[in-house]
Amino acid sequence: MSILVYTESEKGKLKKTALEVVSYAKAIADQMGTTVTAVAVNADNAESLGNYGAAKVLSVKNDALNKFNAKAYAAVIEQAAKQEGAKVVVVSSSADSKYLAPLLAVGLEAGYVSNVVEAPSSTSPFVVKRSVFTNKAFANTEITTDVKVVGLSNNSFGLVESGGTASVEDFSPSLPDSGVTVESVDKATDKVSIADAEIVVSGGRGLKGPENWGMIEELAEVLGAATACSKPVSDLGWRPHSEHVGQTGKPVASNLYIAIGISGAIQHLAGINSSKVKVVINTDPEAPFFKAADYGVVGDAFEVVPKLIEKLKAF
Ligand code: FAD
């Protein structure tokens, strides 16, 4: 019996969430006196998962899995879980994992709890803390089924390096007939994806037009950040829809979220509530975002942002 983890990768590179779910699973495994087995699909560097607590990696190499397909991926993880006799399966809270987790739970006859933010306080009973109402509250939920599927909120547990090593085994599960294939469009820039970004620089309608996004991109470049935007900005075609964050867009769980010319409407805040530190730059001191922010600058973005870039470059 081990704890099984599905570790996501993109173009062969393990995502930060992959390292986080393994770190999280290791904390549960230590409580239960067992080990962590990771499933990695077409990942190049699977053995590195040992450093975050995986004792074993089941490495799947199959071109048919190059594009995400929830049915196929759920089948892969289900077979791995059954082979390992896993009682707990951990996935991330990415769009792909949220899509496959219910299918996996059905296949394993397991209870599934999403948006989990902490390791369980007790593994008997198995009680997990999850965020609810767009991170405005938390609920403790007991999973009573024999097998449990846990969806960990991104950037909630963090990365814990244990310095261990993992054995890597080839794993060749059978794949079901293909259903719908979903291609994830997750790149905000060619460099950093919103889901994996430590820092996100986001612009709103206060920036007046797409021609003014040069300074947003430059600030993001200096900080090694991803760029994002409010919904009206992507609706107006100023930025691609893949950058839209909020209730109807992507969730952001970065360590730092810088909102520039964004009012802070409830639907926008719903998507960024789980970011750790929020900084707002807005001309209007009454903008609702200031109530949700950790730091605020009341000022004109066209004056503040260039100065910020200048200071950061000199740093
Ligand atoms: P505005 O509300 O126009 O705010 C612009 C801000 O820029 C103002 O606060 C202004 O003071 C400031 N500003 C102006 N000039 C400057 C300057 N020179 N320097 C600095 N600041 C300046 N929105 C989302 O973002 N994400 C969602 O997922 C989302 N989902 C929605 C779902 C539903 C069902 C509905 C009804 C709405 C949704 N919205 C969403 C829209 C949301 O309600 C707001 O309308 C939207 O977030 C406002 O975007 P904004 O802050 O960029 O623009």
Side-chain angles (χ1 to χ4, degrees):
M1 198 268 287
S2 69
I3 307 243
L4 193 87
V5 186
Y6 165 51
T7 57
E8 293 177 45
S9 56
E10 188 174 338
K11 294 185 182 144
K13 189 170 179 281
L14 287 164
K15 292 186 178 181
K16 185 184 150 200
T17 54
L19 313 181
E20 186 175 26
V21 284
V22 173
S23 304
Y24 176 82
K26 175 78 168 99
I28 303 179
D30 287 347
Q31 276 196 61
M32 294 173 76
T34 183
T35 56
V36 176
T37 299
V39 183
V41 179
N42 294 335
D44 295 333
N45 211 7
E47 68 283 354
S48 63
L49 293 168
N51 190 30
Y52 297 88
K56 180 161 87 174
V57 181
L58 298 177
S59 172
V60 184
K61 299 276 183 186
N62 189 330
D63 287 347
L65 294 167
N66 278 342
K67 276 192 181 168
F68 178 75
N69 176 312
K71 203 171 149 191
Y73 272 62
V76 169
I77 304 163
E78 181 186 330
Q79 288 167 64
K82 286 180 175 161
Q83 174 185 296
E84 299 297 308
K87 294 291 181 196
V88 180
V89 181
V90 183
V91 300
S92 81
S93 285
S94 71
D96 288 354
S97 281
K98 279 194 167 164
Y99 192 6
L100 70 80
L103 297 171
L104 176 64
V106 169
L108 293 171
E109 297 186 8
Y112 164 50
V113 174
S114 61
N115 297 328
V116 172
V117 294
E118 274 180 12
S121 50
S122 160
T123 54
S124 179
F126 196 96
V127 179
V128 283
K129 182 175 172 182
R130 66 188 302 249
S131 70
V132 291
F133 304 125
T134 60
N135 289 309
K136 287 209 163 48
F138 297 100
N140 287 323
T141 305
E142 182 183 350
I143 313 181
T144 54
T145 44
D146 183 36
V147 180
K148 299 148 182 52
V149 178
V150 177
L152 179 68
S153 269
N154 295 351
N155 210 18
S156 58
F157 189 77
L159 309 186
V160 182
E161 295 189 47
S162 61
T165 51
S167 62
V168 179
E169 291 179 11
D170 290 338
F171 182 57
S172 305
S174 56
L175 298 184
D177 292 341
S178 62
V180 177
T181 300
V182 177
E183 190 167 1
S184 297
V185 181
D186 198 29
K187 286 282 172 193
T189 68
D190 283 343
K191 292 170 193 147
V192 190
S193 76
I194 290 176
D196 270 358
E198 303 279 344
I199 305 173
V200 173
V201 178
S202 191
R205 203 152 43 182
L207 289 168
K208 323 285 186 220
E211 66 280 5
N212 296 322
W213 242 262
M215 63 181 183
I216 299 294
E217 284 176 346
E218 194 177 352
L219 181 58
E221 171 102 37
V222 175
L223 291 169
T227 51
C229 67
S230 65
K231 183 173 183 293
V233 165
S234 63
D235 287 348
L236 287 162
W238 296 358
R239 298 296 291 178
H241 279 290
S242 58
E243 287 194 15
H244 156 203
V245 299
Q247 184 185 326
T248 48
K250 285 206 174 108
V252 175
S254 55
N255 288 331
L256 175 61
Y257 183 79
I258 305 176
I260 303 168
I262 300 177
S263 57
I266 193 164
Q267 298 89 354
H268 187 84
L269 297 178
I272 60 103
N273 270 338
S274 46
S275 285
K276 300 240 158 70
V277 177
K278 296 162 210 102
V279 177
V280 176
I281 301 170
N282 197 307
T283 43
D284 177 8
E286 300 298 322
F289 219 137
F290 283 112
K291 288 205 176 84
D294 299 283
Y295 300 95
V297 179
V298 178
D300 186 336
F302 296 95
E303 290 172 19
V304 176
V305 175
K307 281 189 187 147
L308 190 56
I309 294 169
E310 198 185 307
K311 288 278 179 203
L312 285 166
K313 278 186 173 168
F315 198 59

Coordinates of all heavy atoms in Angstrom, one line a residue, residues 3 6 49-50 69 87 96 116 126 136 139 155 174 177 184 191 195 207 211 231 251 270 284 298 301 307 314:
I3 N 1.0 5.7 -1.3 CA 0.2 6.8 -1.7 C 0.6 7.1 -3.1 O 1.8 7.2 -3.5 CB 0.5 8.1 -0.8 CG1 0.4 7.7 0.6 CG2 -0.3 9.3 -1.3 CD1 -0.6 8.4 1.4
Y6 N -0.3 11.8 -9.1 CA -0.2 12.0 -10.5 C 0.6 13.3 -10.7 O 0.2 14.4 -10.2 CB -1.6 12.2 -11.1 CG -1.6 12.8 -12.5 CD1 -0.7 12.3 -13.5 CD2 -2.4 13.9 -12.8 CE1 -0.6 12.9 -14.7 CE2 -2.3 14.5 -14.1 CZ -1.4 14.0 -15.0 OH -1.4 14.6 -16.2
L49 N 11.8 13.5 -8.9 CA 10.7 13.5 -8.0 C 11.1 12.9 -6.6 O 10.5 13.1 -5.6 CB 9.5 12.7 -8.5 CG 8.8 13.4 -9.7 CD1 7.8 12.4 -10.4 CD2 8.1 14.7 -9.3
G50 N 12.2 12.1 -6.7 CA 12.7 11.5 -5.4 C 13.1 12.6 -4.4 O 13.0 12.5 -3.2
N69 N -6.0 13.9 -22.5 CA -7.3 13.3 -22.7 C -7.7 12.7 -21.4 O -7.1 11.8 -20.8 CB -7.1 12.1 -23.8 CG -8.4 11.4 -24.0 OD1 -9.0 11.0 -23.0 ND2 -8.7 11.2 -25.2
K87 N -4.3 3.6 -1.4 CA -5.5 4.0 -0.7 C -5.8 5.5 -0.8 O -6.9 5.9 -0.6 CB -5.4 3.6 0.8 CG -5.3 2.1 1.1 CD -6.7 1.4 0.8 CE -6.6 0.0 1.0 NZ -7.7 -0.8 0.4
D96 N -6.7 20.4 -15.9 CA -6.7 19.0 -16.4 C -7.0 18.0 -15.3 O -7.8 17.1 -15.4 CB -5.3 18.7 -17.0 CG -5.0 19.3 -18.3 OD1 -5.9 19.9 -18.8 OD2 -3.9 19.2 -18.8
V116 N -8.2 21.2 -1.8 CA -7.6 20.9 -0.4 C -6.4 21.8 -0.2 O -5.6 21.9 -1.1 CB -7.3 19.4 -0.3 CG1 -6.5 19.1 1.0 CG2 -8.6 18.5 -0.4
F126 N -10.1 10.3 8.0 CA -9.3 11.0 7.0 C -10.0 12.4 6.8 O -11.0 12.4 6.1 CB -9.2 10.2 5.7 CG -8.1 10.7 4.8 CD1 -6.8 10.1 4.8 CD2 -8.4 11.7 3.9 CE1 -5.9 10.5 3.9 CE2 -7.4 12.1 3.0 CZ -6.1 11.5 3.0
K136 N -13.1 32.1 0.4 CA -13.5 33.0 1.5 C -13.7 32.2 2.8 O -13.8 32.8 3.9 CB -14.9 33.6 1.1 CG -14.7 34.7 0.0 CD -15.8 35.8 0.2 CE -15.4 37.0 -0.6 NZ -15.0 36.8 -1.9
A139 N -13.5 24.5 4.9 CA -14.4 23.4 5.5 C -13.5 22.2 5.7 O -12.6 21.9 4.9 CB -15.5 23.1 4.5
N155 N -0.1 25.8 -5.0 CA 0.7 26.7 -4.2 C 0.1 26.9 -2.7 O 0.3 27.9 -2.1 CB 0.7 28.1 -4.8 CG 1.9 28.9 -4.4 OD1 2.9 28.3 -4.0 ND2 1.9 30.2 -4.6
S174 N -2.9 -0.1 -20.4 CA -3.7 -0.1 -21.6 C -4.6 1.2 -21.6 O -5.0 1.7 -20.6 CB -4.6 -1.4 -21.6 OG -5.4 -1.4 -20.5
D177 N -10.4 3.5 -25.7 CA -10.7 4.2 -27.0 C -10.7 5.7 -26.7 O -11.3 6.1 -25.7 CB -12.0 3.7 -27.6 CG -11.9 2.3 -28.1 OD1 -10.8 1.8 -28.2 OD2 -13.0 1.6 -28.2
S184 N -4.7 22.0 -23.7 CA -4.7 23.1 -22.8 C -3.9 24.3 -23.4 O -2.9 24.1 -24.0 CB -3.9 22.7 -21.5 OG -4.6 21.6 -20.9
K191 N 7.2 32.4 -22.0 CA 8.1 32.0 -21.0 C 7.5 31.4 -19.7 O 7.9 30.3 -19.3 CB 8.9 33.3 -20.6 CG 9.8 33.7 -21.7 CD 10.4 35.1 -21.4 CE 11.0 35.7 -22.7 NZ 10.9 37.1 -22.7
A195 N -0.3 29.2 -14.4 CA -0.5 28.2 -13.4 C 0.8 28.0 -12.6 O 0.8 27.7 -11.4 CB -0.9 26.9 -14.0
L207 N -5.6 50.5 -18.1 CA -4.4 50.7 -19.0 C -4.8 51.3 -20.4 O -4.0 51.5 -21.2 CB -3.7 49.4 -19.2 CG -2.9 49.0 -17.9 CD1 -2.4 47.6 -17.9 CD2 -1.8 49.9 -17.6
E211 N -2.1 49.0 -26.8 CA -0.8 49.6 -27.1 C 0.0 49.9 -25.8 O 1.2 50.2 -25.9 CB -1.0 50.9 -27.9 CG -1.7 52.1 -27.3 CD -3.2 51.9 -27.2 OE1 -3.7 50.9 -27.6 OE2 -3.9 52.9 -26.7
K231 N -11.2 40.4 -17.1 CA -12.0 39.9 -18.2 C -12.3 40.9 -19.3 O -12.2 40.5 -20.5 CB -13.3 39.4 -17.5 CG -14.3 38.8 -18.5 CD -15.5 38.2 -17.7 CE -16.5 37.5 -18.6 NZ -17.2 38.4 -19.5
P251 N -7.7 30.5 -12.4 CA -7.4 30.8 -11.0 C -5.9 31.1 -10.9 O -5.1 30.5 -11.7 CB -7.7 29.5 -10.3 CG -7.7 28.4 -11.3 CD -7.9 29.0 -12.6
A270 N -12.3 36.6 -7.0 CA -12.6 35.2 -6.8 C -11.5 34.3 -7.4 O -11.2 33.2 -6.9 CB -13.9 34.9 -7.5
D284 N -7.6 55.4 -8.2 CA -8.8 55.6 -7.4 C -8.6 55.0 -6.0 O -8.6 53.8 -5.8 CB -10.0 55.0 -8.1 CG -11.3 55.2 -7.2 OD1 -11.2 55.9 -6.2 OD2 -12.3 54.6 -7.6
V298 N -1.6 54.3 -4.6 CA -2.6 55.1 -5.2 C -1.8 56.0 -6.2 O -1.0 56.9 -5.7 CB -3.3 56.0 -4.2 CG1 -4.3 56.9 -4.9 CG2 -4.0 55.1 -3.2
A301 N -0.8 54.4 -13.2 CA 0.1 53.3 -13.7 C 1.1 53.8 -14.7 O 2.2 53.3 -14.7 CB -0.8 52.3 -14.3
K307 N 8.6 53.7 -13.3 CA 9.5 54.0 -12.2 C 9.9 52.7 -11.5 O 11.0 52.4 -11.1 CB 8.9 54.9 -11.1 CG 9.0 56.4 -11.6 CD 8.6 57.3 -10.5 CE 8.5 58.7 -11.0 NZ 7.5 59.5 -10.4
A314 N 17.7 48.4 -11.6 CA 18.9 48.9 -10.9 C 19.2 48.1 -9.7 O 20.3 48.2 -9.1 CB 18.7 50.4 -10.5

